[in-house]
Amino acid sequence: MKSAQGNRIRGLAVAIAAAVLLAFLSDANAQQKNTPGFWGPSQRIAKPDLSPITRLRFVTTVDFFPFNYIDGAGILTGFHVDLVRRICAELSITDRCQIQALPWKELQPALEDGRAEAIVAGLAVTPENRKHYLFSQPYMRFPARLIAKRSSLPEEPIAQSLSGKRVGVLGRTTHERLLRDLFPDARATTYSKAQWLYEDLQSGKIDTVFGDGMRLSFWLASPEAKNCCTFAGGPYMAQDYLGQGLAIAVPADKPMLAEAINFALHEIEASGAFTELYQRYFPVSFY
């Protein structure tokens, strides 16, 4: 990829990879090693018969780092690419499985005209989209999180500790609304750029930062953070604000395919393979 966006994506990938060792050798809180789990321990799903399926093609994009992007060698890679490989292996149809990158605007038409059977690219699970697609169980959600300097972590109960404290947040965002609703006694301080947010946290101009846990985890693992900070408190899932999370979409007339993908996702989580995959791409857990 020769675009400026591609260069930024590769640059971020290199920075995160370089910081993985630091992230794991630092005295990270136990919560940073947590991994998501969305299946109950008693849930069981029967493996469907996929012998009638001659092809299972997933479509994705190249601009959703670290889920799907083009690496330095020009190869489609990312969390979603590896997840698709795992799904196909669990379903014993690796020889019939494919994944293809398309522009975002072509993903849904590809399912509608039969060029593909599944979308794995963060298509929102909304009432409108549910009219046209079946969605798998969520395999990832993006909680809101607080981060603070290691030397001044807020104590539990967090809401009480934040009363009167300056909490930085990107302005005019869902996270700002959630912050004001969750912590009405905190002093919400809004920013238009994430970099300014981080700089003011490091300098002590604000006490904590509230925002998207995944993006905050990348900053915590980056050289720019200088191991100054860590997550404070737990994750705030808040589906009414932050959505249902990531799920795989299939055509509404293919319920067997949705069941098959759910089976595979369940087996991947139960075997521990999802944990390995998650830790590979997210060295600082945002759960």
Side-chain angles (χ1 to χ4, degrees), residues 22-117:
L22 173 63
F24 280 108
L25 292 181
S26 67
D27 58 334
N29 291 338
Q31 67 186 355
Q32 291 181 316
K33 298 178 182 178
N34 291 343
T35 55
F38 302 114
W39 297 90
S42 62
Q43 284 184 276
R44 296 291 183 270
I45 300 178
K47 185 176 182 177
D49 176 16
L50 296 184
S51 57
I53 293 181
T54 59
R55 183 197 71 186
L56 176 50
R57 178 179 290 166
F58 294 80
V59 286
T60 188
T61 63
V62 297
D63 55 359
F64 188 20
F65 180 87
F67 291 93
N68 24 272
Y69 63 99
I70 301 296
D71 67 12
I75 297 172
L76 178 65
T77 189
F79 180 94
H80 279 153
V81 178
D82 286 344
L83 180 62
V84 165
R85 292 192 182 109
R86 297 275 192 177
I87 290 172
C88 296
E90 288 292 341
L91 296 176
S92 304
I93 58 170
T94 299
D95 59 331
R96 289 174 276 164
C97 251
Q98 304 170 10
I99 184 166
Q100 179 183 3
L102 295 173
W104 175 262
K105 64 181 181 180
E106 294 184 24
L107 295 181
Q108 295 180 64
L111 256 64
E112 294 165 5
D113 63 21
R115 285 178 289 150
E117 288 72 47

Side-chain angles (χ1 to χ4, degrees), residues 208-222:
T208 60
V209 166
F210 186 78
D212 176 68
M214 182 184 72
R215 296 187 184 280
L216 292 176
S217 77
F218 288 163
W219 182 74
L220 291 174
S222 71

Side-chain angles (χ1 to χ4, degrees), residues 135-214:
F135 286 90
S136 71
Q137 279 276 99
Y139 54 87
M140 187 81 74
R141 291 192 176 102
F142 299 116
R145 294 297 305 263
L146 284 161
I147 61 172
K149 297 179 74 170
R150 294 180 182 275
S151 59
S152 56
L153 290 175
E155 298 178 353
E156 297 286 352
I158 297 293
Q160 182 175 320
S161 294
L162 293 184
S163 179
K165 298 293 186 179
R166 298 159 298 178
V167 181
V169 65
L170 289 175
R172 304 177 69 179
T173 63
T174 299
H175 291 97
E176 182 190 353
R177 290 196 297 110
L178 181 57
L179 169 65
R180 294 184 185 279
D181 289 346
L182 281 177
F183 307 110
D185 295 328
R187 294 168 55 191
T189 306
T190 58
Y191 290 77
S192 59
K193 291 185 178 181
Q195 186 60 38
W196 298 343
L197 196 67
Y198 302 142
E199 290 173 355
D200 280 5
L201 176 64
Q202 289 175 308
S203 68
K205 293 180 180 178
I206 54 177
D207 299 290
T208 60
V209 166
F210 186 78
D212 176 68
M214 182 184 72

Side-chain angles (χ1 to χ4, degrees), residues 108 111-112 119 123 129-135 249-252:
Q108 295 180 64
L111 256 64
E112 294 165 5
I119 296 174
L123 183 66
N129 282 337
R130 284 188 182 277
K131 295 178 183 178
H132 308 285
Y133 308 105
L134 298 175
F135 286 90
V250 303

